[in-house]
Amino acid sequence: MSALTHHVTDAPSDEGKSLLEAFLTLETPEGFKAELIEGEIVVTPPPDGDHETAIGRIVWQIARQCPKGMDFAGGKGLIVPTGRFIPDGTFTSRGAMAGRGSWSKPEGVLMVLEVTSSRPEKDRGAKRLGYAAAGIPLYLLLDRQENKLLLHSDPQEDDYHSTAWVPVGEALALPAPFGFALETDELL
């Protein structure tokens, strides 16, 4: 699976549209997702089965072990200081996304989840920085290329200031409000 990128400098300047306007009117084929990441429009094809299986196994564990005061959204558009991102999963306080449009600020977001695919550098760098700048408390990244699970926490202005990681196969402790050890042995 590969992503297509449209750089700001590639946009025609005579159209009179801003990059954000162009992004918001972009029509993508069914199943594809478009994100605005640090001035680039990134269009990604539907994920592979291993990607979706990993997400499902993480969500299943969290749903079974967390309090009922939490919601999950797959594919929720978030407005962050560095763009418009669509995490693979968003965990929120109960009702935090109810009544919101396709794109919303991340109020009530407890943790975002990403699983790397064709452009892991975006998940490792630009998305991490964007989620931190938005003040999202936790960023859980399953890095399939590196065979590890990372939990970024303590967002301060431009980045997360704490990172815990384990190789896939070892449990990763999730802090409150999750408060359990996430089993990783069946993620890949």
Side-chain angles (χ1 to χ4, degrees):
M1 168 172 53
S2 62
L4 302 174
T5 302
H6 181 75
H7 295 277
V8 178
T9 56
D10 297 336
S13 59
D14 58 351
E15 285 187 15
K17 287 186 173 182
S18 72
L19 180 62
L20 180 59
E21 289 171 331
F23 171 74
L24 292 174
T25 59
L26 185 68
E27 293 184 27
T28 58
E30 187 174 338
F32 283 65
K33 74 177 182 181
E35 298 175 285
L36 182 58
I37 303 174
E38 294 184 321
E40 293 181 346
I41 296 174
V42 179
V43 179
T44 310
D48 63 38
D50 293 338
H51 183 273
E52 294 301 284
T53 298
I55 293 168
R57 290 180 177 167
I58 291 169
V59 171
W60 180 249
Q61 285 187 62
I62 291 173
R64 283 191 354 248
Q65 299 190 52
C66 284
K68 290 186 179 185
M70 193 176 295
D71 286 335
F72 172 78
K76 175 67 182 113
L78 297 178
I79 301 168
V80 301
T82 58
R84 298 207 175 204
F85 299 175
I86 302 174
D88 291 323
T90 304
F91 297 89
T92 68
S93 55
R94 190 117 179 123
M97 292 296 162
R100 294 194 188 174
S102 299
W103 295 99
S104 66
K105 293 183 179 178
E107 285 98 7
V109 173
L110 305 169
M111 180 170 72
V112 289
L113 165 65
E114 295 283 4
V115 175
T116 59
S117 50
S118 62
R119 298 195 49 164
E121 69 281 356
K122 292 288 186 193
D123 295 322
R124 294 175 189 142
K127 284 192 152 187
R128 186 192 79 238
L129 298 175
Y131 293 141
I136 296 172
L138 300 170
Y139 172 33
L140 183 63
L141 174 63
L142 174 56
D143 192 322
R144 296 190 299 169
Q145 290 75 13
E146 298 288 328
N147 201 34
K148 62 184 176 183
L149 193 66
L150 301 98
L151 181 65
H152 300 287
S153 60
D154 190 21
Q156 295 180 16
E157 297 177 26
D158 61 341
D159 203 354
Y160 288 98
H161 288 263
S162 182
T163 301
W165 70 274
V166 295
V168 171
E170 293 183 20
L172 177 66
L174 298 179
F178 301 93
F180 73 97
L182 182 69
E183 297 299 325
T184 70
D185 55 338
E186 294 185 4
L187 296 182
L188 297 179

